[in-house]
Amino acid sequence: MLTPLLALLLSSLPVALPGVQEPDGSHTVGVVPPFHGEPAPPGWLRKASHAAADPDCRHYVYEAYAGKDHWLVRYVMLPEGDEAFRDLEQVFLYPRSAKEGGPRKPTLIPPSDVTVEPSDVRWKGEVFKLVDRRDLMKD
């Protein structure tokens, strides 16, 4: 039988979301668990944005933001040592109205046009709320 204190401690541990797998087989790293907020982004968004970003270094950060009419997705590459990379940061815009599978090509936004805050980003006067953040490492 679990003591109340042990039960409380076990219930506060982060729980992996069932069935969530990264498109490139990467896994979360660090002591801070992934952040998941509302509204939850559609399943196709991670796959579509990953294909568009094509992260080319082992360690990177994926962030999804919800706006009124769009999803904004940001990738930040964290190259190690002499690891080659194309871009340190990439930002994509997808319509929220897109059906399963998402649009074939997102709108590419220059990272310098986006203002990043701890829990949101701003682009062209629109505020996008952080709804998914993962610090990822490929094996």
Side-chain angles (χ1 to χ4, degrees):
M1 181 170 163
L2 294 176
T3 66
L5 179 58
L6 182 57
L8 177 66
L9 289 173
L10 289 175
S11 69
S12 67
L13 291 175
V15 177
L17 293 175
V20 174
Q21 289 188 329
E22 300 301 328
D24 58 3
S26 60
H27 56 85
T28 58
V29 296
V31 296
V32 178
F35 172 80
H36 302 286
E38 293 296 327
W44 62 260
L45 185 64
R46 173 71 175 113
K47 292 175 189 163
S49 66
H50 181 81
D54 189 23
D56 53 1
C57 62
R58 256 181 97 227
H59 190 184
Y60 64 96
V61 174
Y62 161 82
E63 296 173 335
Y65 297 84
K68 179 181 173 195
D69 298 318
H70 295 90
W71 297 105
L72 187 141
V73 179
R74 182 172 172 253
Y75 282 80
V76 179
M77 306 305 158
L78 304 168
E80 300 170 354
D82 60 354
E83 191 173 31
F85 60 91
R86 289 183 303 274
D87 298 304
L88 276 181
E89 185 177 349
Q90 298 178 66
V91 181
F92 304 97
L93 191 70
Y94 293 90
R96 282 188 68 166
S97 60
K99 301 293 181 215
E100 188 63 34
R104 297 202 192 282
K105 275 192 110 171
T107 301
L108 184 60
I109 298 173
S112 59
D113 290 357
V114 176
T115 303
V116 180
E117 300 291 333
S119 62
D120 59 46
V121 296
R122 296 173 192 278
W123 177 69
K124 289 192 173 183
E126 186 174 353
V127 176
F128 294 81
K129 178 183 161 192
L130 180 64
V131 293
D132 192 359
R133 183 182 192 287
R134 306 175 200 182
D135 187 356
L136 299 164
M137 181 78 73
K138 296 180 204 175
D139 290 326

